[in-house]
Amino acid sequence: MTQAIQKTLRDSAGMRWTALLLLALAMFCSYIFMDILSPIKDLMQETRGWDSTAFGTMQGSEVFLNVFVFFLIFAGIILDKMGVRFTAVLSGAVMLIGAVIKWYAVSESFIGSGLETWFTNNLNYIPLFDELGVSPFYEGMPASAKFAACGFMIFGCGCEMAGITVSRGIVKWFKGREMALAMGSEMALARLGVATCMIFSPFFAKLGGNISVTRSVAFGVVLMCIALMMFIVYFFMDRKLDSQTGEAEEKDDPFKVSDIGKILSDSGFWLVALLCVLYYSAIFPFQKYAVNMLQCNLTLTEPAQDSFWASPSVTIVQYVIMLVVAAAGFASNFMKDKNKKYGLLAVSIIALITYCYMGYMRQSAESIFAVFPLLAVLITPILGSYVDHKGKAASMLVLGSLLLIACHLTFAFILPLFKGNAVGGIIIAYVTILVLGSSFSLVPASLWPSVPKLVDAKVIGSAYALIFWIQNIGLWLFPLLIGKVLDKTNPNVTDPTQFDYTWPLVMLACLGVAALILGLILKVVDRKKGIGLEEPNIK
């Protein structure tokens, strides 16, 4: 009888993973909107007059309020005081508001409106921010890019708030259980949003032969409505859990400013935070330019307009195959029967090869880059399970840094050598993109589950918020830097498919070198202080 009374939603594997699925689907939608314009950078230049600097400035604006108005710190405090479920719904609502503003900014209705005139004539100089060189706007920036940046800032506040909330929610439901597997699985599903974005953003923009970037952003707005609904359903699940356990929401734990001081005084925390900023800065900003980079380095010939490979239906077929790759590969991790396990792996590999062949036949840079998260979906649960049972989280970061360096240098120096070789260039691109995606999976599977080992449970929300805040500095800076470096190193290039990406890629490889050094230092600190980063989560 006592055991029956003590059994809660959290003790049920099905309900525990359902809660995770709700959180992961919400982040899946947010990841799509985050990069909704990335695969159509060339169209933004052609239809809205956004050069690389304008594009990079707008993309970097996503995290501007989080970094310079310290919104992420406040988000962490809200999370610690108000709890997971309230903050989840709040973050969903904020993301939706920002998404709607960005949609209007790139819509045809904005062109010629009073708002366009106002943004053209204003926000060309921001006191103090201009002096510091960190203004989210500049004189001559297209009005649509300025207003889109405003919406993206609001979206970014909600998105990063959602990120720390989801991390805290997973800790709440999975602590003492398969936490690294849960975090790795959440990120694996969320990152399918990257592939979805790369495939469907150009699809909607070019639908019917009439170019309209507005349709792509509208698709993202619909998904943000779905994300909000996922958070609302999670709200009721989480409340039911607390009613069963008799625990009060986290808001009953008093927050003290001194708690942040304790977090910041820990050297292990700083090493983890700096590793995250370096690692994510070499990946997320790259995603925003990756499709354009491939357009500039691959020899792509559009298929005949009356062929299957140019039809809208091929997009749907390819996406379904991509889902087969992800679903079969992901499910194989949970099969105890070897025949089923290897059977699903074989299905996943065959589907992946089919997907890559279709990307080649479509001669589409966006569908080629869409393979980025697919290998990660397969191996992230494996890595998460390994960390849960074997440990070695810090060692995985070192491996990830090495792969990161190799991939960016390959894009910078080897891929351009194959320009003119239609088959060889695409093969190099596919292999490098898949390896880069797999290296990215090392972070959620190894570092995020290590944060609870570094800080007290009462301030986990604040700790995640501080890490995200530090990470956001890089996510603001590097899209802007890539855009500026592109314009500086390609001064006379007007065709958006003819840029030389060598120096931006070298810059990103240098981030990998710095992350490698910090990863080695983290291993030394962990061994000396006994933090336990190399130890398993399940003991």
Side-chain angles (χ1 to χ4, degrees):
M1 178 65 72
T2 302
Q3 289 181 344
I5 293 174
Q6 291 179 341
K7 189 172 181 63
T8 66
L9 290 177
R10 187 164 46 201
D11 297 317
S12 166
M15 298 307 295
R16 196 163 64 239
W17 286 89
T18 298
L20 178 75
L21 181 63
L22 292 170
L23 296 174
L25 285 174
M27 294 309 295
F28 168 82
C29 294
S30 71
Y31 267 53
I32 293 175
F33 193 85
M34 187 188 304
D35 279 317
I36 200 70
L37 296 182
S38 300
I40 53 174
K41 176 182 180 291
D42 56 328
L43 299 181
M44 295 309 299
Q45 181 164 341
E46 294 170 6
T47 64
R48 296 296 184 270
W50 295 13
D51 61 12
S52 293
T53 299
F55 183 83
T57 302
M58 192 286 302
Q59 294 282 38
S61 69
E62 178 196 354
V63 296
F64 181 83
L65 294 178
N66 290 324
V67 173
F68 296 105
V69 187
F70 303 104
F71 181 81
L72 254 179
I73 307 301
F74 297 125
I77 295 172
I78 292 170
L79 177 56
D80 282 331
K81 293 183 73 68
M82 301 303 294
V84 172
R85 57 179 175 264
F86 171 85
T87 314
V89 174
L90 177 63
S91 65
V94 172
M95 284 194 291
L96 179 57
I97 292 170
V100 171
I101 293 173
K102 185 173 179 179
W103 164 77
Y104 180 71
V106 301
S107 70
E108 283 76 13
S109 300
F110 181 76
I111 300 173
S113 67
L115 267 177
E116 183 184 36
T117 302
W118 190 91
F119 274 93
T120 299
N121 297 329
N122 294 277
L123 300 181
N124 294 313
Y125 170 75
I126 311 295
L128 183 61
F129 287 107
D130 270 276
E131 279 73 15
L132 293 174
V134 297
S135 176
F137 314 108
Y138 61 86
E139 187 170 3
M141 186 176 180
S144 58
K146 287 181 186 176
F147 194 36
C150 293
F152 212 25
M153 287 179 201
I154 296 171
F155 168 83
C157 289
C159 187
E160 297 303 319
M161 184 193 295
I164 60 174
T165 303
V166 167
S167 297
R168 176 67 175 268
I170 293 173
V171 170
K172 180 176 182 177
W173 283 77
F174 285 87
K175 191 169 185 179
R177 295 177 173 87
E178 327 89 325
M179 189 162 62
L181 175 61
M183 286 194 172
S185 300
E186 181 269 322
M187 285 307 299
L189 178 57
R191 282 183 185 143
L192 277 179
V194 179
T196 304
C197 171
M198 296 300 161
I199 289 176
F200 281 105
S201 180
F203 171 77
F204 284 112
K206 300 173 182 178
L207 191 63
N210 177 33
I211 301 296
S212 174
V213 296
T214 310
R215 286 194 297 260
S216 295
V217 186
F219 165 64
V221 171
V222 172
L223 291 174
M224 294 322 303
C225 294
I226 295 173
L228 178 57
M229 288 189 284
M230 293 297 102
F231 280 138
I232 291 172
V233 175
Y234 174 82
F235 178 96
F236 291 104
M237 278 195 69
D238 192 81
R239 189 169 68 176
K240 177 67 173 177
L241 174 64
D242 281 351
S243 70
Q244 289 179 330
T245 60
E247 298 172 356
E249 259 279 67
E250 294 86 340
K251 61 183 179 183
D252 290 341
D253 290 329
F255 174 82
K256 299 177 183 177
V257 175
S258 59
D259 291 332
I260 291 182
K262 292 176 183 177
I263 296 171
L264 295 178
S265 63
D266 188 282
S267 60
F269 166 83
W270 273 107
L271 286 170
V272 168
L274 290 175
L275 268 167
C276 283
V277 69
L278 290 169
Y279 212 88
Y280 277 80
S281 294
I283 298 287
F284 279 125
F286 170 72
Q287 284 179 193
K288 300 180 186 302
Y289 291 88
V291 171
N292 187 233
M293 184 275 294
L294 292 175
Q295 290 171 338
C296 296
N297 285 298
L298 295 176
T299 301
L300 300 173
T301 305
E302 288 191 15
Q305 290 301 309
D306 58 348
S307 70
F308 168 72
W309 302 110
S311 67
S313 58
V314 72
T315 302
I316 308 300
V317 173
Q318 193 176 21
Y319 187 67
V320 170
I321 292 173
M322 186 202 77
L323 293 179
V324 172
V325 176
F330 186 80
S332 69
N333 290 283
F334 303 94
M335 293 295 157
K336 294 182 179 179
D337 184 279
K338 287 188 176 181
N339 291 329
K340 292 181 179 179
K341 181 183 182 68
Y342 292 118
L344 285 171
L345 273 175
V347 170
S348 181
I349 292 170
I350 292 170
L352 178 60
I353 293 171
T354 303
Y355 176 93
C356 291
Y357 172 75
M358 293 184 72
Y360 167 73
M361 293 301 294
R362 292 183 65 190
Q363 294 287 289
S364 164
E366 52 266 22
S367 67
I368 291 172
F369 185 71
V371 302
F372 175 68
L374 295 187
L375 191 58
V377 173
L378 171 63
I379 71 170
T380 298
I382 298 174
L383 296 172
S385 182
Y386 185 86
V387 172
D388 281 331
H389 294 91
K390 303 293 184 180
K392 305 298 181 183
S395 298
M396 286 190 179
L397 262 295
V398 172
L399 174 61
S401 300
L402 288 169
L403 294 175
L404 187 69
I405 296 166
C407 289
H408 282 313
L409 291 180
T410 298
F411 284 133
F413 298 109
I414 297 178
L415 185 60
L417 298 178
F418 285 83
K419 188 159 188 176
N421 185 332
V423 177
I426 289 179
I427 290 174
I428 294 293
Y430 270 136
V431 172
T432 310
I433 292 166
L434 285 167
V435 173
L436 183 65
S438 66
S439 75
F440 194 21
S441 66
L442 293 165
V443 176
S446 56
L447 265 201
W448 292 125
S450 300
V451 176
K453 297 179 180 180
L454 298 169
V455 300
D456 185 84
K458 179 169 67 70
V459 291
I460 287 177
S462 297
Y464 279 124
L466 285 168
I467 292 176
F468 274 57
W469 177 73
I470 295 167
Q471 170 190 311
N472 272 221
I473 295 175
L475 300 186
W476 159 77
L477 178 62
F478 282 95
L480 177 63
L481 282 181
I482 294 172
K484 286 183 177 294
V485 171
L486 270 179
D487 281 339
K488 291 291 184 182
T489 55
N490 297 271
N492 300 314
V493 178
T494 56
D495 185 345
T497 63
Q498 297 300 319
F499 289 122
D500 181 354
Y501 269 84
T502 302
W503 289 110
L505 290 166
V506 169
M507 177 176 66
L508 296 178
C510 289
L511 294 178
V513 173
L516 174 61
I517 294 170
L518 281 180
L520 294 172
I521 294 173
L522 180 63
K523 284 174 62 69
V524 174
V525 171
D526 177 58
R527 187 166 59 248
K528 287 184 177 180
K529 292 192 172 185
I531 298 173
L533 298 182
E534 295 284 83
E535 295 178 4
N537 293 322
I538 300 175
K539 299 180 181 179

